[in-house]
């Protein structure tokens, strides 16, 4: 197995694990699929190197894995609780699958910050947030004001802005 197919195999295994993790919850499974797809598309458009794209894709699959433990512990799953509870769940999953430690650290960092919109350090972080916004605005049926505000305040990548403008009919 060459490097690329090994990495793709890991991502596919993670994808299956996340479907299993959210069993019985098709909305959350659909959400992670959409966030992954848009993350990958933006990452390729922004010419991320192969390792950064791999980390981004893994983070996109796992970014909401804090939802279930937050609901179980606190009866709610707001963004801060997702950030608090997600990294531990993801770390265990990624270790079991054989991800390298430095990758696990970055993926867990992204999970632990994906609802924090200041000091976004790294293109992978920026792209994950943009992809999550693209999906959440639709899933939450956001109004025009919220859509424009998200575009103005969150989107920085050329690819993300282009997709956003096409998807929501916002002028670039």
């Amino acid at each position: 197995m060459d490097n690329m197919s090994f990495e793709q195999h890991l991502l596919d295994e993670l994808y299956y694990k996340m479907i299993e993790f959210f069993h019985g919850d098709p909305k959350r499974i659909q959400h992670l699929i959409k966030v992954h797809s848009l993350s990958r598309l933006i990452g390729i458009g922004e010419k991320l190197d192969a390792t950064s794209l791999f980390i981004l894709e893994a983070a996109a699959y796992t970014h909401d894995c804090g939802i279930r433990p937050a609901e179980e512990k606190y009866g709610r799953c707001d963004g801060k609780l997702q950030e608090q509870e997600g990294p531990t769940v993801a770390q265990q999953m990624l270790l079991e699958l054989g991800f390298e430690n430095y990758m696990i650290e970055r993926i867990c960092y992204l999970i632990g910050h994906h609802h924090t919109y200041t000091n976004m350090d790294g293109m992978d972080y920026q792209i994950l947030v943009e992809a999550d916004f693209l999906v959440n605005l639709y899933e939450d049926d956001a109004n025009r004001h919220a859509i424009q505000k998200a575009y103005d305040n969150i989107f920085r990548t050329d690819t993300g802005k282009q997709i956003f403008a096409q998807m929501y009919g916002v002028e670039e």
Side-chain angles (χ1 to χ4, degrees):
M1 207 184 293
D2 64 35
N3 239 4
M4 194 58 187
S5 62
F6 176 72
E7 288 180 348
Q8 188 56 56
H9 173 74
L10 274 181
L11 287 174
D12 291 345
E13 290 298 312
L14 182 58
Y15 191 178
Y16 282 120
K17 256 209 184 313
M18 287 305 299
I19 290 170
E20 181 183 330
F21 181 78
F22 282 124
H23 70 276
D25 194 344
K27 183 177 182 189
R28 290 194 176 130
I29 294 167
Q30 294 286 319
H31 177 82
L32 75 89
I33 291 167
K34 291 184 276 188
V35 172
H36 170 265
S37 179
L38 288 164
S39 292
R40 179 172 168 73
L41 189 62
I42 297 169
I44 290 169
E46 295 300 309
K47 298 178 178 22
L48 288 186
D49 64 85
T51 300
S52 297
L53 184 62
F54 177 78
I55 288 169
L56 172 63
E57 288 189 66
Y61 280 138
T62 56
H63 75 283
D64 280 345
C65 66
I67 287 175
R68 283 233 159 126
E71 287 174 336
E72 290 166 10
K73 286 183 183 178
Y74 307 103
R76 58 189 172 77
C77 63
D78 59 78
K80 287 296 154 204
L81 288 176
Q82 289 177 40
E83 289 180 337
Q84 175 185 308
E85 299 298 323
T88 304
V89 174
Q91 182 179 32
Q92 184 62 40
M93 213 179 281
L94 297 167
L95 279 169
E96 287 173 13
L97 290 173
F99 278 71
E100 293 185 48
N101 285 336
Y102 79 95
M103 292 180 173
I104 293 172
E105 285 177 27
R106 183 62 181 173
I107 294 162
C108 288
Y109 176 83
L110 294 172
I111 294 166
H113 292 83
H114 79 280
H115 284 285
T116 302
Y117 310 126
T118 56
N119 303 316
M120 289 191 262
D121 63 333
M123 190 62 84
D124 52 359
Y125 188 165
Q126 179 68 41
I127 292 169
L128 179 61
V129 167
E130 289 182 8
D132 202 25
F133 260 89
L134 285 166
V135 175
N136 283 333
L137 289 168
Y138 171 74
E139 289 179 349
D140 296 342
D141 200 23
N143 63 38
R144 294 306 299 168
H145 174 73
I147 289 168
Q148 187 64 54
K149 187 176 174 189
Y151 182 82
D152 294 341
N153 295 331
I154 299 298
F155 284 73
R156 299 289 174 260
T157 69
D158 291 339
T159 308
K161 286 180 177 181
Q162 181 182 4
I163 292 168
F164 192 106
Q166 295 287 325
M167 191 178 288
Y168 291 103
V170 171
E171 293 300 316
E172 284 190 73

